[in-house]
Amino acid sequence: MAKIDLIATAAFGLESIVARELKGLGYDELVVENGRVLFTTDELGICRTNLWLRSSDRVLLRMGSFEARTFEELFQQTKSLPWEEWLPEDANFPVQGKSVKSQLFSVSDCQAIVKKAIVERLKEKYGRNWFEETGPRYQIEVGLLNNKVTLTIDTSGPGLHKRGYRQLAGEAPLKETLAAAMIQLSFWRKERALIDPFCGTGTISIEAALIAQNRAPGLKRSFAAEKWPNIPKTLWQEAWQEALDLWERNVPLHIYGSDIDPNALALARKHAIEAGVDEVIHFQRLPVAEVRSRFKYGHMIANPPYGERLGDVTKVEELYRELGETFNRLDNWSLHMLTTHQFPERLIGRRWDKSRKLYTGRLECHY
């Protein structure tokens, strides 16, 4: 199988987690950059990384990178790339783009030029003048940063946070990819208890169960590259079989989620059923002040309401104080929380050992 350059994209702050996941899959030659991790693999790697990456947003096939300051440079260098190696004659290949701090700042013009260059390349290779684009989808992106162009094809389709178990979401939902990263950053181990005292629709609890069972997060969904004729179906079958073989279904777990919103809890239970982990997660309606545990050691991982989300900073601060009191009653436990509050330590009553800047959407938080 040929060597292929891939990019695993990530929200800012999660690049090291994605790199750790890739190393766990056996991909050691990595380049970590802002918002992405570059690595080299083969066609099977496209299948495996889409199935297994928990904290990455997408897996992109990197067609090429080059400098371009004029539209002519963009056109000629795009046309020089071997698009026919991936795009069949009937390929549906829309182009989207973005430009940051580059002379070619018109995104719409860049998209049109890249599209035209690819069409001209395919005309020469396939000997035809018209392409109906009725076949599989190859979403192409032209990204410009400081006059450097990167051309990619999206292998994932819908973002990797769409695991297939959460069809409905409550207010201000936490992305599955961020929830998985929060768990991995906590270094929680499956032998210990885990409590999410603001569980909402259950994302943290469900992602913890998937991690503990060593279950590939992409098992319940499909990917754009599954329809590509140049990736044999046997490779997807091999990757799926590996994921099924490594799934530890019967691991005993102590995962608890609580919330005061009955509607959110109903969704959490539904999502747990859809994910197939309802028997290993215990959800209950409970205010944070009443959370208790019989376990000596454990991790409390939480995404409490933000002032921006709740619209009432006073209520949020009272919840933080109650969270701090609950945490201080739990002997030998760790607390990991995502917050936008400027001084959460004053409310919790404990200094942080570590803090990391993360983003939920465009909102800057600290974990």
Side-chain angles (χ1 to χ4, degrees):
M1 288 184 282
K3 290 297 182 182
I4 300 168
D5 292 329
L6 296 182
I7 299 173
T9 65
F12 287 112
L14 301 187
E15 299 91 346
S16 63
I17 301 301
V18 173
R20 185 199 302 174
E21 292 181 24
L22 285 166
K23 288 181 179 178
L25 292 171
Y27 306 111
D28 295 320
E29 296 181 10
L30 309 174
V31 178
V32 180
E33 299 179 352
N34 286 338
R36 63 186 195 173
V37 182
L38 289 72
F39 63 106
T40 301
T41 179
D42 51 24
E43 288 92 340
L44 179 59
I46 292 176
C47 311
R48 295 184 71 237
T49 52
N50 272 296
L51 274 170
W52 280 101
L53 287 178
R54 300 182 188 279
S55 302
S56 174
D57 293 327
R58 294 179 182 279
V59 178
L60 307 178
L61 168 63
R62 187 166 73 97
M63 289 298 297
S65 298
F66 50 83
E67 297 278 335
R69 289 177 170 80
T70 68
F71 289 135
E72 181 64 18
E73 288 177 333
L74 177 61
F75 178 87
Q76 293 297 341
Q77 295 196 73
T78 298
K79 185 181 176 184
S80 70
L81 297 174
W83 295 100
E84 69 282 356
E85 292 182 3
W86 288 98
L87 304 184
E89 289 186 66
D90 64 347
N92 173 18
F93 55 104
V95 179
Q96 64 182 21
K98 56 186 177 182
S99 179
V100 179
K101 298 179 180 178
S102 297
Q103 288 177 237
L104 301 179
F105 58 84
S106 173
V107 172
S108 59
D109 287 337
C110 291
Q111 291 173 171
I113 287 166
V114 166
K115 179 79 173 187
K116 182 179 178 181
I118 297 172
V119 169
E120 291 303 315
R121 172 83 183 198
L122 297 182
K123 282 181 180 179
E124 293 178 1
K125 297 299 178 179
Y126 289 125
R128 56 188 300 179
N129 292 319
W130 180 258
F131 299 93
E132 295 182 353
E133 299 194 38
T134 56
R137 185 179 179 89
Y138 294 77
Q139 178 66 63
I140 293 169
E141 180 175 289
V142 49
L144 294 96
L145 176 62
N146 297 321
N147 298 313
K148 183 178 180 180
V149 179
T150 301
L151 289 165
T152 60
I153 307 176
D154 178 18
T155 73
S156 301
L160 294 181
H161 70 283
K162 295 188 177 181
R163 316 286 207 218
Y165 65 75
R166 190 171 74 170
Q167 305 302 323
L168 303 170
E171 183 183 354
L174 183 70
K175 267 192 174 182
E176 294 86 337
T177 44
L178 179 55
M182 289 167 61
I183 295 159
Q184 294 180 87
L185 282 167
S186 77
F187 288 98
W188 170 70
R189 300 199 304 271
K190 59 189 176 185
E191 297 82 12
R192 293 194 171 180
L194 185 150
I195 294 176
D196 177 3
F198 303 98
C199 72
T201 58
T203 307
I204 291 175
S205 301
I206 293 170
E207 290 297 318
L210 298 181
I211 290 171
Q213 292 182 348
N214 196 36
R215 178 174 152 190
L219 273 175
K220 286 183 68 67
R221 56 161 289 172
S222 59
F223 306 95
E226 283 185 67
K227 298 180 180 178
W228 296 0
N230 34 7
I231 300 181
K233 297 292 185 186
T234 54
L235 295 183
W236 285 102
Q237 292 166 0
E238 181 180 342
W240 280 80
Q241 190 59 55
E242 177 194 37
L244 291 171
D245 291 343
L246 293 173
W247 183 1
E248 301 174 21
R249 294 171 174 81
N250 300 316
V251 176
L253 298 173
H254 306 289
I255 299 174
Y256 303 87
S258 57
D259 206 288
I260 60 170
D261 184 348
N263 295 323
L265 286 169
L267 285 176
R269 294 186 178 100
K270 178 177 176 59
H271 294 158
I273 291 170
E274 290 292 327
V277 294
D278 53 300
E279 294 186 1
V280 296
I281 302 175
H282 307 276
F283 291 112
Q284 60 180 332
R285 188 179 183 186
L286 197 68
V288 64
E290 297 179 17
V291 170
R292 303 285 190 277
S293 178
R294 60 187 172 87
F295 295 99
K296 180 73 172 176
Y297 300 96
H299 289 244
M300 188 179 290
I301 303 178
N303 178 37
Y306 312 142
E308 294 88 343
R309 185 171 66 185
L310 207 66
D312 189 334
V313 175
T314 301
K315 289 182 180 179
V316 170
E317 292 186 345
E318 181 58 33
L319 285 176
Y320 278 31
R321 291 188 185 94
E322 292 176 358
L323 175 62
E325 293 169 1
T326 295
F327 171 53
N328 288 318
R329 284 195 300 269
L330 294 171
D331 194 20
N332 295 315
W333 277 59
S334 299
L335 171 62
H336 315 267
M337 60 182 288
L338 194 66
T339 179
T340 61
H341 198 284
Q342 192 172 4
F343 304 109
E345 295 167 292
R346 297 177 184 177
L347 303 170
I348 298 296
R350 187 83 66 88
R351 288 183 61 85
W352 305 133
D353 298 305
K354 295 181 181 178
S355 178
R356 176 187 289 246
K357 186 186 295 184
L358 298 177
Y359 288 83
T360 173
R362 295 181 179 272
L363 187 62
E364 181 181 312
C365 303
H366 286 269
Y367 183 55

